[in-house]
Amino acid sequence: MHSVMLRANALVTFSVAILALMCAMASLSDYLNSPSPTAQVQVLNVYRFQKKRNGDDEVSLTFNISANLQSVFTWNTKQVFVFLAAEYGTPKNALNQISLWDSILPSKEDAKIWIQTTNKYTFVDQGSNLRNKDFNLTLHWHVMPKTGKMFADKIAMTGFRFPETYR
Amino acid sequence: MCSAGMGVCVRRCGGVCGGNGVCVRRQKSSELVASPMDWQGQKLAEHLMQLPLVLFAVLAFITGYVLGSFQTMLLIYAAGVILTSLIMIPNWPFFNRHPLNWLDSSEAEKFPKPQPANLGTKKKTSKK
């Protein structure tokens, strides 16, 4: 501590150590937030439902998402990645998850979603299992913090069913 | 306290001889960076670093959490670090109020010189 460089070194070391501690506490403070997000999805129309040449089912559908993820945001949230997945079980795979739509919510103001859209990504089953199949539409989200731990959660919406016949 | 030659005076009080034989510590701007700090000053400098940094960290965290703004926390803490560095990094005069007073060489001759030991010399050379 007797020279300028040694004092500068001590200051930088100590201040960065404290900064790390502050970041850890900011990450821990996320646990104080108990979010209450809401989500609803309506399937408006299954406008394409076919068996492809290789035997796999392919679906195109339009749907309506209304969700409010504002309570997920805290002071330590950088952005939230949100996606809607169709989930169903088949004899071959206990759980199939197919992403139909996704989005990045950069701020709390953007976290009120109301969107009517077709599936952004192709919906193809591994096989021909989709006729008259029950499926869930699940809204998943991943919270990306400024510092510390990432969180992920979801809301599953049940009671959807594919048509009995191809169209 | 402060007598004849400049050399004596510098050794005794780490300063310059004033007109009436009083030791005057004059700090040049270059000394803020280059000169070493005395022992008490180093202890003070360490305390003047730790306390403000911790206080600013607490203040920054509480303000940031209440306002819900991570950026505010970082800005307050950055301001605290800069302010603290201005206080404790330069060798301000108030860090040098307890200078080491070395004995005059004429006084030192009254005391027996330490006997150089054989092992001692070996150790010194090996260390350096």
Side-chain angles (χ1 to χ4, degrees):
Chain A
M1 297 286 279
H2 67 277
S3 76
V4 163
M5 287 315 287
L6 281 178
R7 285 195 294 277
N9 182 284
L11 180 91
V12 170
T13 310
F14 192 63
S15 58
V16 170
I18 289 190
L19 185 64
L21 194 70
M22 286 160 74
C23 290
M25 284 173 65
S27 177
L28 286 178
S29 76
D30 279 345
Y31 287 101
L32 299 176
N33 183 45
S34 48
S36 52
T38 58
Q40 278 175 338
V41 176
Q42 287 172 303
V43 174
L44 301 174
N45 185 23
V46 179
Y47 64 90
R48 216 167 88 99
F49 185 33
Q50 286 173 344
K51 185 186 270 197
K52 289 171 58 178
R53 226 173 261 169
N54 60 9
D56 292 347
D57 281 351
E58 182 179 354
V59 186
S60 297
L61 66 167
T62 54
F63 48 85
N64 213 336
I65 307 169
S66 62
N68 187 347
L69 296 179
Q70 285 184 321
S71 59
V72 169
F73 279 78
T74 70
W75 72 311
N76 189 30
T77 305
K78 175 154 180 57
Q79 62 181 19
V80 173
F81 174 69
V82 56
F83 67 99
L84 185 76
E87 298 182 343
Y88 57 93
T90 56
K92 193 177 166 192
N93 303 308
L95 176 65
N96 299 270
Q97 289 180 300
I98 292 155
S99 177
L100 302 181
W101 170 88
D102 63 11
S103 179
I104 293 170
L105 313 176
S107 72
K108 194 171 185 171
E109 287 71 42
D110 302 303
K112 247 187 175 168
I113 307 161
W114 195 94
I115 189 168
Q116 189 172 319
T117 179
T118 61
N119 48 323
K120 203 168 158 182
Y121 307 109
T122 323
F123 185 168
V124 178
D125 181 41
Q126 289 183 333
S128 178
N129 310 294
L130 292 187
R131 276 165 299 168
N132 210 17
K133 168 75 82 181
D134 282 322
F135 67 104
N136 290 351
L137 286 172
T138 307
L139 193 74
H140 294 259
W141 62 89
H142 291 243
V143 181
M144 284 149 218
K146 284 172 179 157
T147 65
K149 190 178 179 294
M150 281 180 65
F151 292 90
D153 206 352
K154 62 186 177 183
I155 293 179
M157 285 150 284
T158 54
F160 300 97
R161 179 174 288 209
F162 289 111
E164 288 181 28
T165 53
Y166 294 122
R167 51 176 85 162
Chain B
M1 294 194 92
C2 193
S3 56
M6 270 280 280
V8 179
C9 183
V10 169
R11 274 199 206 144
R12 276 201 175 166
C13 63
V16 192
C17 265
N20 48 3
V22 182
C23 183
V24 178
R25 176 94 178 120
R26 264 190 236 139
Q27 191 129 14
K28 293 174 195 163
S29 58
S30 64
E31 283 185 345
L32 286 178
V33 178
S35 69
M37 189 183 273
D38 72 40
W39 299 112
Q40 302 283 321
Q42 290 177 40
K43 191 177 174 187
L44 181 64
E46 185 157 357
H47 291 164
L48 281 181
M49 170 186 81
Q50 288 168 346
L51 189 68
L53 279 184
V54 170
L55 287 180
F56 267 104
V58 172
L59 178 76
F61 186 83
I62 291 173
T63 314
Y65 186 75
V66 169
L67 295 181
S69 164
F70 202 84
Q71 197 184 14
T72 307
M73 176 180 87
L74 291 183
L75 286 177
I76 292 177
Y77 186 61
V81 170
I82 291 170
L83 186 73
T84 309
S85 69
L86 288 180
I87 294 173
M88 67 83 70
I89 290 184
N91 192 7
W92 298 114
F94 67 87
F95 285 126
N96 292 293
R97 288 193 188 137
H98 307 275
L100 273 183
N101 291 319
W102 293 89
L103 282 182
D104 202 37
S105 58
S106 62
E107 264 179 85
E109 276 167 15
K110 295 174 190 168
F111 299 96
K113 284 184 183 173
Q115 294 295 320
N118 290 340
L119 281 173
T121 50
K122 260 194 175 177
K123 264 190 182 172
K124 268 188 183 172
T125 49
S126 63
K127 262 192 179 175
K128 283 196 175 176

